[in-house]
Amino acid sequence: MFEQIDQYVDRIISLTPEEREVFHSLLKFRRVRKRTYLLQENDICDFEAYIVKGCIRTYYLSDDGTETILSFAIEDWWVSDPYSFTEQTPSNMFIESLEDCELLIIDYKSKATLYEKIPKFETLFRLLIQRSLFALQKRFHSLVSQTAEQRYLAFIEKYPQVVQRVPQNQIARYLGVSPEFLSKVRSTMHKKK
């Protein structure tokens, strides 16, 4: 059950067998069905989840009910609302499973215990937050500097495994275009080939 997350951790920090045992003891395994909300707007996010299996999306809802998809997450990725989790304040986002998922979850209290017992985990989670910030920064830049076609091409190149698992209408919302517009972009791209 811990093999995948151990490989993830080993890429960043080294653990003794005793430290690994402590880490494992603080994780909770959870299976969730497709279309399960792990977090809803106004709830306080009390988890960071490592995805062993499955696909999850994070998104916001505007006042008129329009979805803005922030991210998709698949195996070997983490999902959470970092602000709500860290500050223990109500979230303004939703986290929903798009497939049946298997997760390893660390809650707020357990993460504090992890930092206390194994301080090097602060390095791992700091790098995780930095990578998330850099990805969001790049995404924002692409939204203001690239055409929809360029954004779509970059998305399918960077995340080919996600493209096969996520409905096109959700990819359109992620890219900031209508599903109809994305369909036209895809059609134009196929004609060029």
Side-chain angles (χ1 to χ4, degrees):
M1 173 176 23
F2 298 111
E3 185 178 324
Q4 264 180 269
I5 198 167
D6 285 345
Q7 289 173 4
Y8 180 93
V9 169
D10 290 345
R11 291 192 301 261
I12 301 168
I13 59 175
S14 297
L15 297 178
T16 66
E18 295 77 21
E19 289 170 333
R20 196 173 303 279
E21 192 173 310
V22 169
F23 177 51
H24 292 172
S25 74
L26 295 170
L27 297 170
K28 292 180 178 58
F29 180 77
R30 182 173 171 202
R31 280 191 174 94
V32 294
R33 309 281 293 156
K34 180 178 181 176
R35 294 195 179 111
T36 298
Y37 285 99
L38 301 166
L39 179 70
Q40 294 191 56
E41 188 176 40
N42 296 319
D43 291 345
I44 294 174
C45 184
D46 191 37
F47 70 89
E48 290 183 337
Y50 174 83
I51 303 171
V52 176
K53 179 183 175 212
C55 183
I56 293 174
R57 71 178 178 144
T58 60
Y59 68 97
Y60 300 99
L61 275 182
S62 67
D63 291 341
D64 68 0
T66 305
E67 287 182 9
T68 300
I69 296 180
L70 180 63
S71 66
F72 299 106
I74 59 171
E75 292 84 5
D76 205 32
W77 295 9
W78 289 83
V79 67
S80 182
D81 176 344
Y83 182 77
S84 175
F85 180 82
T86 302
E87 298 298 319
Q88 290 294 280
T89 58
S91 179
N92 60 354
M93 72 167 53
F94 294 82
I95 300 177
E96 179 188 21
S97 60
L98 296 176
E99 300 173 348
D100 291 347
C101 295
E102 295 178 2
L103 309 170
L104 288 170
I105 293 175
I106 189 161
D107 63 32
Y108 184 80
K109 185 177 173 186
S110 295
K111 189 174 178 187
T113 301
L114 182 65
Y115 284 172
E116 182 183 312
K117 292 187 175 189
I118 314 170
K120 61 182 122 178
F121 267 98
E122 289 186 19
T123 299
L124 182 139
F125 284 102
R126 177 182 50 79
L127 290 172
L128 182 65
I129 290 294
Q130 283 177 338
R131 289 174 184 164
S132 296
L133 177 61
F134 298 157
L136 284 173
Q137 187 177 24
K138 285 173 120 176
R139 179 158 177 242
F140 177 75
H141 182 262
S142 76
L143 283 171
V144 298
S145 66
Q146 294 180 327
T147 66
E149 184 174 337
Q150 289 170 325
R151 291 195 306 271
Y152 181 66
L153 286 170
F155 180 80
I156 61 176
E157 183 179 317
K158 187 165 185 178
Y159 305 112
Q161 66 280 40
V162 173
V163 173
Q164 305 302 319
R165 297 165 70 174
V166 174
Q168 290 298 305
N169 66 334
Q170 291 188 16
I171 292 173
R173 287 189 205 111
Y174 175 84
L175 296 172
V177 298
S178 71
E180 297 78 18
F181 187 79
L182 181 59
S183 182
K184 287 178 189 173
V185 166
R186 294 177 71 222
S187 177
T188 302
M189 287 171 48
H190 286 340
K191 286 177 186 173
K192 286 181 182 178
K193 289 181 181 179

